[in-house]
Amino acid sequence: MIELEIPQNLKNIRDMLHGLMKSKVRPLCLQADIDGKYPESFYDEIAPMMSGMSLGGGGGGGGKKGGGMSEAAGMKNMALMAIVAGEEIGWGDPTFALNMPGPGTGGPALAARGTPEQKEKYFGMLEGKGAKWAAYGLTEPGAGSDVANIKTNCRKEGNEWVINGRKCFISNGAKAEWTIVFATVDPKLGHAGQRVFVVEKDTPGLTIGKIENKLGFRASETAEMIFEECRVPAENLVGGEAAYEGKDKAKEGFKTAMQFFDTSRPMVGIMGVGIGRAAYEELEAWIKDNYWLSRPIPRYAAIRDRLFEMQQKLEAARLLCWKAAWMADNGIANTKEASMSKMYGPGIAMEVCSEAVDIMGTHGSLAGTIVDKCYRDIKVFDIFEGTHQIQQTVIAKHLFDRVPMTTG
Amino acid sequence: MISFQPTDEEQQLLETVRRFSEDVVIPDAREADVRGEIDPSIRGQYCELGLHLLGIPESLGGIGEFTLTSKLLMEEVLANASVSHALALDSAGLGAQAIIRLGSEAQQQHCLPPVLEEPNKAVAFAVSEADLASHTGHFQTRAEKKGGGYVLNGEKLAVLNADRAEHIVVLARAESGSGFSGVKALIVEKDNPGVTVGSRQKFMGLNAAPTFEVIFTDCEVSSEAELCSAENIAQEIVQVLNIGRAINGARNVAVGQAALAMAVDYAQEREAFGKKICQHQGLAFFIVDKEVALNAAQALNYKAISRVTQGKDATQAACLAINYSNRAAVQATIDSIQVFGGAGFMKDLNVERYMRDARTLANVLGSEAEHNEVLGEYLYPAA
């Protein structure tokens, strides 16, 4: 039976989270956007309420134990829970997703590919008092979309691996307790040469470069990580040596990299929808207060048509994300659907934010408003976790399945 | 006759403006965006080159061979370097155009030559209001007749260069009427006790172009303040706005072009999947679409301003031009960031500034719906 209603338990989570966003996050988010971070008090008050909730958590992230919220939702619709939550987070402040203490972007790869000892140690490291984060280091100055092209290299010396190279645009890279780092034993081998490590903060040879000053998404830390003869113990190779040996295992590093995306892409898609919805709601309220009450009918109709088109796009995008999550929860391969949700959501949300700024006229582009912030925040959602163009490539490969597609 | 060729004099002028942009404006552009103002010494250099005199009649100190078309071409070059600078330097701007088109000889001589001689003075133009239909003639700011003059009450937003304005040209409603009929254009002197230049307004972009709230409280002006020497006041006010539409359209296209030029450059350097990213057809077509839109928009702006220069009504051409230009520019800036990927989102590159500037500039003379409303009123006037 086809039914597109959120189950009651997820509605409860959605409403709780919406209340939290409205009462605790929204009042701080505009100042955090200027400062580039949330105040310490934010973590003291809010983080404990949110333990176990972490980006990509629906795909097997989260803590060593299931978090409070995932238990409440029950295991059978964890991906959908993440999606429902993600929209509210996008609505409140999308940087909240990455500011939440926990394994965050580093979680899914370790959860899926780590050895039991690695999971025990590194998820355990994030528990206990105080806000702690993990990170995911894949992107390099010369390799973004083209993941196979990473140049950060690693070589084994005795019981250690030695890493050299640079990672950029790493969310929480400077404050992470540990980071999942991708490197290659030989760039010529492509995916097959890649190895994945857990690198702890303060490992000698690892330095933090610049913290980026950005157009939007400003309250989330974006760091450069520099590896110079950085030595990590052999047991920090994610999944252990055996995982990278033999013919079938040759692409283990790449698979680890991609593991993240089937679950994170719908999450990024739905957060984009949340941002678009935030801008839309601001616009609608503004119009009610300032526009249509005193206006003759034809002008009202022209604006109304644009509002309806925005609503229609947001709803279509939301349903694509729900479908991708539903497939994940039901064990159906969802790579194509994950890409469609990631491509469509942020794409239309960018349009919605731009329309909101336009219709609100001079007021729409005023600095320090939710709409201004939405317009600046949304852009990066069409870039990270695989650009719009990468999603198109993935979708094309699934669509044209009788002819081999050259990449791009 | 159809020609897309600037005159010889204009080509020489544009060469000078290009050098000025490269030597003076571009080095200040990034810093000015952070600081929130342009390097004030640039104003003197701009005036020395006579760039503030384009589109001003010779009798008021202008240069005969340079029309508003010349000004638009100059603004394209300047806005390509930094549109904040183009706006901050435009001391005469639409206020001066209103005085030229609607004012008497005496009003023109009183207001313009002294301002044009002094780089730090300006004539401001106060049109925008909080109300979303303020650019269609629905002004909340009222001008009530009192004695021979008027009493102004209301609040204007986003008034460019109001802080250094000697005179502020204000649009206000005096009588009921559709569109701009019943709207008066009045000159308010800066030392009028009824006018307050309020706080600086901060926008998402155009950071170095200073705009202010201007509040009129029982602001009395004499009959000499009314700009009423034109035959059809409402039509001339719309024509002044049309000049603004064409020039802002051109400025925004230039912002889009600046962003797209960076993307085109980068797409020929950056490699992914074993080739230059422009050699991936999907990405090449993505960029090409924006190039076509910007070219089309530029042609619409040229048509609109050439109608003004020829003394013809430009309402239809200008409304088409600004809406298309703003859409093309906003999209080009958003998509140029896309070409850079994550690097485009960072403040180290200018491309993120272009995205903020294009979106903000698109709203300066009103939203798309307002321009459409003016066009609708023009094409299908209320019976």
Side-chain angles (χ1 to χ4, degrees), chain B residues 125-292:
Chain B
F125 187 58
V127 51
S128 299
E129 295 180 4
D131 190 290
L132 274 172
S134 60
H135 300 87
T136 70
H138 283 85
F139 295 112
Q140 302 298 316
T141 301
R142 300 277 151 183
E144 270 176 80
K145 239 181 160 23
K146 186 182 174 190
Y150 290 92
V151 180
L152 272 170
N153 273 295
E155 212 176 304
K156 293 288 184 180
L157 300 179
V159 182
L160 183 65
N161 297 326
D163 56 334
R164 55 193 185 89
E166 289 293 299
H167 320 283
I168 302 174
V169 175
V170 186
L171 298 187
R173 183 158 287 283
E175 298 143 29
S176 61
S178 75
F180 285 85
S181 77
V183 170
K184 300 284 177 199
L186 303 166
I187 306 171
V188 178
E189 306 293 324
K190 71 164 181 192
D191 48 12
N192 187 316
V195 61
T196 313
V197 174
S199 51
R200 168 92 187 257
Q201 291 191 284
K202 275 205 72 186
F203 291 92
M204 161 197 310
L206 304 180
N207 286 357
T211 57
F212 298 83
E213 290 179 311
V214 178
I215 301 133
F216 303 95
T217 317
D218 297 327
C219 175
E220 295 189 21
V221 295
S222 71
S223 61
E224 283 155 41
E226 184 178 354
L227 293 166
C228 58
S229 297
E231 229 170 77
N232 185 335
I233 299 292
Q235 198 179 313
E236 281 303 326
I237 291 175
V238 172
Q239 189 76 337
V240 170
L241 292 170
N242 292 339
I243 295 167
R245 290 183 176 109
I247 289 178
N248 273 3
R251 284 170 173 154
N252 223 354
V253 166
V255 176
Q257 283 171 331
L260 201 66
M262 286 180 68
V264 166
D265 224 38
Y266 186 71
Q268 295 176 84
E269 286 168 14
R270 175 79 176 186
E271 287 186 20
F273 305 105
K275 42 187 175 177
K276 304 291 183 189
I277 60 174
C278 69
Q279 291 170 315
H280 296 285
Q281 199 177 52
L283 194 91
F285 287 8
F286 177 76
I287 295 175
V288 164
D289 284 345
K290 281 55 190 201
E291 173 71 10
V292 175

Side-chain angles (χ1 to χ4, degrees), chain A residues 308-348:
Chain A
F308 289 166
E309 195 178 327
M310 293 158 82
Q311 270 192 12
Q312 159 212 314
K313 286 176 179 166
L314 288 170
E315 181 71 355
R318 178 181 294 121
L319 295 181
L320 280 176
C321 297
W322 285 7
K323 185 177 175 190
W326 171 81
M327 291 173 81
D329 284 335
N330 287 277
I332 306 167
N334 73 343
T335 305
K336 181 185 168 202
E337 286 72 16
S339 282
M340 291 200 294
S341 64
K342 164 68 177 72
M343 179 193 138
Y344 191 69
I348 63 98

